Amino acid sequence: MNPDPHFTRTYRDVAGMHRSLEGLSAFGSLEELILDNNLLGNDLVLPGLPRLHTLTLNKNQITDLECLLDHLAEVTPALEYLSLLGNVACPNKLVNLEKDEEDYKRYRCFVLHKLPNLKFLDARKVTRQEREEALLRGSFMKVVKPKASSDRVTASPENHYTPLPAASRDLTNHRGVLGKCRYVYYGKNSEGNRFIRDDQL
């Protein structure tokens, strides 16, 4: 692919829905790259783009935020504008209604920790307060993925807690269990008793 001078500034995938980024390496002077709605996932690999300052990856299938940010820090050192809206990696209500503003703030803090030169993130200007927060706490805002269900150790039936006495735990043994009670109820404070007449007892 021969680089077209019209594409050295901006490359926009207007067709959309393409997962291949073949040929981008021919555009080393690229400054803006728009890859929205392309089914791009965690296997996204960009060539070295030293002049790229704007990258939008909205509405793709990116879930591993740290992997993406480490890759961008390596191949796009001049990046100032990044948008990841619509990806699972960007926790907001566009993707998951269970996420709230606090989840999004932690996400921004972590992104700015990894990419401190950003001026805009998801169409919102980066504030000085956010930069300071990222310097202090950004490394602690990493989202830890839960372990796969196959990694979880299932407790054996013997280890399950039950409040029942040992004699009643055997389901094949239907004997009753006798116990003592410390408290005795006399019913004198019951609200229901005041509606019952003596002749109804």
Side-chain angles (χ1 to χ4, degrees), residues 76-92:
T76 58
L79 196 64
E80 295 180 344
Y81 179 99
L82 175 65
S83 187
L84 298 173
L85 293 169
N87 290 282
V88 174
C90 176
N92 59 27

Side-chain angles (χ1 to χ4, degrees), residues 2-3 28 60 75 98 110 112 140 149 166 173 187:
N2 294 323
N60 281 291
V75 298
E98 294 178 3
F110 185 67
L112 293 173
F140 303 108
S149 57
N173 184 357

